Amino acid sequence: MKIGILTFHCANNYGAVLQAYGLQEYLKKLGYDTYIVDYRPKYITSQYKTFAKELPQGNLPMKVKHLLRNILIIPIRKRRCKVFNLFRRNRLKIFKLNLNNSENDFDSFIFGSDQIWNQSLTGGNLDKIFLGDFPAANGKKLIAYAASTGSLKNISNKSDIIDKLLKFKAIGVREQSLDIFIGNNIPNSIHSLTLDPVLLAGKQIFEKLIKPIYPDTKKKYLLLFQLGYDIHVEKIASQIANEKGLSLVKISSYFESLTDSNIISDASPEQFLAYVKNASYVVTTSFHGTAFSILFEKDFNTIGLSETVSERMINLLLQLGLEDRFYNNSNKINTTEINYRSVNKKLEQLRIASRSFINTAFA
């Protein structure tokens, strides 16, 4: 069976490329001829231009300051683009498919993982490509796996997504609220809460990617991994690091710092994995930072920044009995050692359920 995966593989984001790799490798292990369809929407690729010409609203000094900053960070952006492009070239089996041509030999298209149905990330509207609404998908088996809206609040026209999903044979999602919504609105559908491909694929698939990292991580450290940058989160991480006698290593997916040279913005996906695996502790605002902390059995804390960002993290932590590792200013931070024997038992049960979903979907 020939399968095409459509997901956010073109984002220069650790979670995006690694979850794509995880699903690709898992399906390959099942014996399927699996490819990543090279769909590159502008709302994704425009975020990772070497030079961003767009200027913010505001007065002239603000615009000049922004322009100068964009010029100064060009070398950082170039390095980051290079390592992500190398990962895609070397690790992902990319297939350039004409989505407007119904003549192709794919048997099935699988949509996900990642927030492919989050309108706040897809240019303000649902992307019909990620809902199987394109000629090349006509007559093919359509499956969603661990697809995400981020939150149902991110979907403005819920009837539209229902209409599109009626064509799907099986719908696997990451948020419980989305799974309930699908069950209530598409009652005869095969639907399920499914594990992100990072956790489905397992530790061994990612360990073989790990490359050596920078010399300063030979000492014990706390890894702070933020999607953007929040000074409050950094203060929390610094406090935990001090309490545990750890140095602080900081990685950000999007923030290129001109004032803090200690923030690592250009690590490759392979190096990112090494930073997580070798950390003594992790603090993160990222779903995939959370997922890899669990995969590599790290003591960690996930910091919630907003309800719409946090729902999928909370769902995962609740399923694994790790809800006390989530912090959002309303609870006390738990920094005790995690009992991974218990966590891994729950995780294996979730893997079994997700494997069963995939087997049913492709039957």
Side-chain angles (χ1 to χ4, degrees):
M1 181 184 290
K2 187 174 181 178
I3 299 172
I5 299 171
L6 285 110
T7 188
F8 287 164
H9 76 286
C10 63
N12 293 347
N13 172 285
Y14 300 114
V17 297
L18 290 169
Q19 63 81 20
Y21 178 79
L23 185 55
Q24 169 190 278
E25 294 302 294
Y26 178 77
L27 293 175
K28 281 169 61 178
K29 280 179 64 178
L30 294 182
Y32 297 122
D33 189 17
T34 306
Y35 300 86
I36 306 290
V37 176
D38 200 21
Y39 174 52
R40 296 171 175 258
K42 287 185 178 179
Y43 57 77
I44 295 291
T45 57
S46 63
Q47 299 178 48
Y48 303 103
K49 293 178 181 176
T50 301
F51 176 67
K53 297 178 183 178
E54 297 78 10
L55 295 176
Q57 298 294 324
N59 55 34
L60 182 59
M62 183 183 296
K63 290 181 178 180
V64 170
K65 182 179 179 181
H66 186 82
L67 180 63
L68 287 173
R69 181 184 182 278
N70 283 350
I71 292 171
L72 290 171
I73 65 175
I74 286 175
I76 301 173
R77 283 182 170 261
K78 278 187 174 180
R79 292 195 300 270
R80 190 162 66 191
C81 284
K82 181 179 179 180
V83 296
F84 276 93
N85 285 335
L86 280 172
F87 183 88
R88 280 186 281 267
R89 189 180 310 139
N90 296 332
R91 307 295 186 183
L92 299 183
K93 199 173 179 182
I94 304 290
F95 192 100
K96 293 187 179 298
L97 175 69
N98 183 352
L99 299 179
N100 292 315
N101 187 351
S102 59
E103 298 296 323
N104 64 79
D105 62 350
F106 279 90
D107 300 292
S108 178
F109 291 104
I110 188 164
F111 301 86
S113 169
D114 229 329
Q115 298 180 70
I116 56 171
W117 299 337
N118 184 341
Q119 286 183 226
S120 67
L121 300 179
T122 58
N125 298 294
L126 285 168
D127 187 334
K128 67 177 186 177
I129 301 299
F130 287 124
L131 288 163
D133 187 9
F134 55 92
N138 291 342
K140 311 297 182 181
K141 187 181 295 183
L142 306 183
I143 297 161
Y145 183 79
S148 171
T149 60
S151 168
L152 281 178
K153 294 178 180 179
N154 292 324
I155 303 300
S156 58
N157 188 349
K158 293 181 174 58
S159 61
D160 193 22
I161 194 170
I162 292 168
D163 290 342
K164 297 290 192 296
L165 291 178
L166 286 170
K167 300 181 298 181
F168 279 59
K169 180 181 179 184
I171 308 164
V173 298
R174 258 184 0 199
E175 295 95 39
Q176 188 173 32
S177 61
L178 180 57
D179 184 47
I180 293 170
F181 170 78
I182 290 167
N184 289 339
N185 290 279
I186 314 177
N188 295 321
S189 63
I190 299 170
H191 65 94
S192 179
L193 199 61
T194 47
L195 268 179
D196 186 273
V198 163
L199 295 169
L200 174 71
K203 191 188 303 184
Q204 289 184 341
I205 280 178
F206 293 101
E207 283 183 327
K208 67 183 181 183
L209 296 179
I210 291 177
K211 289 186 173 180
I213 52 178
Y214 306 124
D216 61 355
T217 59
K218 288 181 180 178
K219 54 187 176 181
K220 291 185 177 182
Y221 62 92
L222 181 149
L223 176 66
L224 169 60
F225 173 49
Q226 297 197 67
L227 289 179
Y229 179 77
D230 188 300
I231 187 63
H232 177 61
V233 175
E234 181 165 330
K235 287 179 179 177
I236 292 171
S238 296
Q239 180 181 341
I240 297 172
N242 289 335
E243 289 174 356
K244 294 186 174 292
L246 303 171
S247 61
L248 184 62
V249 173
K250 297 178 283 187
I251 294 181
S252 174
S253 278
Y254 298 113
F255 180 74
E256 299 99 343
S257 176
L258 296 176
T259 58
D260 188 346
S261 60
N262 293 319
I263 294 180
I264 300 164
S265 298
D266 57 358
S268 68
E270 293 92 342
Q271 289 172 324
F272 166 75
L273 289 172
Y275 276 113
V276 179
K277 181 173 173 55
N278 294 319
S280 296
Y281 202 100
V282 178
V283 172
T284 186
T285 60
S286 155
F287 175 86
H288 284 105
T290 302
F292 279 110
S293 296
I294 293 166
L295 194 68
F296 291 128
E297 301 184 10
K298 299 298 168 182
D299 292 326
F300 72 94
N301 293 106
T302 298
I303 312 298
L305 297 179
S306 71
E307 182 181 346
T308 56
V309 170
S310 302
E311 182 181 351
R312 62 194 184 279
M313 303 178 191
I314 293 171
N315 282 172
L316 174 61
L317 296 174
L318 280 168
Q319 287 177 295
L320 297 175
L322 289 170
E323 60 271 21
D324 61 346
R325 310 310 292 199
F326 183 81
Y327 175 75
N328 63 355
N329 290 323
S330 63
N331 59 319
K332 186 178 179 181
I333 296 179
N334 183 359
T335 61
T336 59
E337 185 176 351
I338 295 173
N339 175 8
Y340 270 101
R341 179 176 295 181
S342 171
V343 171
N344 286 333
K345 285 181 180 178
K346 294 185 174 84
L347 181 56
E348 186 55 30
Q349 290 304 308
L350 296 176
R351 282 197 183 108
I352 290 169
S354 291
R355 290 170 191 152
S356 176
F357 170 85
I358 288 176
N359 292 338
T360 301
F362 285 114

